[in-house]
Amino acid sequence: MDIVRNPYAPGAGTPPPELAGRSSLIDDATNAIKRVAAGRPAQSLIMVGLRGVGKTVLLNRIEEISSDIGCKSAFVEAHEGKNLPELLAPKLRSLLYSLSKVDSAQDLARRGLRGLKGFLNGLKVTINDVDFGLRT
């Protein structure tokens, strides 16, 4: 294959010219986002695959779709050595603050921030036998 015309361009999150063969997954994600936006339950999606097959590109595309529909989203990447609360709390806080500026969502966002504060108050992290607790 001609290396110049080859559409495969490996790189973390580098979008290819076309997401070939991914339309059903993108449609499923779009439908799930629309259902959640309408207050209805939706089937979760789990994307698995080897490094470099396009999972991050798909997640970025789904985040764009979410924004186009009018939903807020946050991209959270899991790292070894970090627990779920440490990964989620900063993103949730940021989303809730942005929602607190929207008139129709202020009350719910404030309730969410209070709930997140209670969650963080109970968070305890241990590093090298030293315990750390968070206070907000």
Side-chain angles (χ1 to χ4, degrees):
M1 165 144 293
D2 180 1
I3 197 163
V4 174
R5 293 184 312 129
N6 185 348
Y8 179 68
T14 305
E18 180 183 343
L19 291 173
R22 309 300 173 125
S23 59
S24 67
L25 183 59
I26 292 171
D27 290 343
D28 289 347
T30 303
N31 290 331
I33 294 165
K34 287 179 178 179
R35 285 186 60 82
V36 169
R40 301 193 179 280
Q43 185 70 38
S44 299
L45 299 171
I46 298 176
M47 291 179 274
V48 295
L50 298 173
R51 183 181 178 129
V53 297
K55 298 178 299 292
T56 301
V57 171
L58 281 169
L59 289 171
N60 288 334
R61 178 68 186 117
I62 291 167
E63 190 171 32
E64 287 174 17
I65 292 166
S66 176
S67 179
D68 292 345
I69 291 172
C71 294
K72 301 255 183 205
S73 63
F75 191 90
V76 180
E77 189 170 347
H79 296 284
E80 286 186 39
K82 283 201 170 189
N83 61 36
L84 190 59
E86 288 176 290
L87 295 168
L88 293 180
K91 298 289 186 167
L92 288 173
R93 184 174 183 260
S94 177
L95 281 174
L96 289 167
Y97 272 127
S98 71
L99 285 173
S100 71
K101 296 175 184 171
V102 177
D103 288 338
S104 61
Q106 282 181 350
D107 290 336
L108 288 173
R110 288 184 183 130
R111 283 184 15 205
L113 283 165
R114 283 193 299 273
L116 182 60
K117 180 180 179 182
F119 172 73
L120 291 176
N121 281 336
L123 182 64
K124 185 172 123 180
V125 179
T126 303
I127 302 173
N128 295 332
D129 297 330
V130 176
D131 292 335
F132 296 93
L134 296 176
R135 293 240 163 136
T136 54

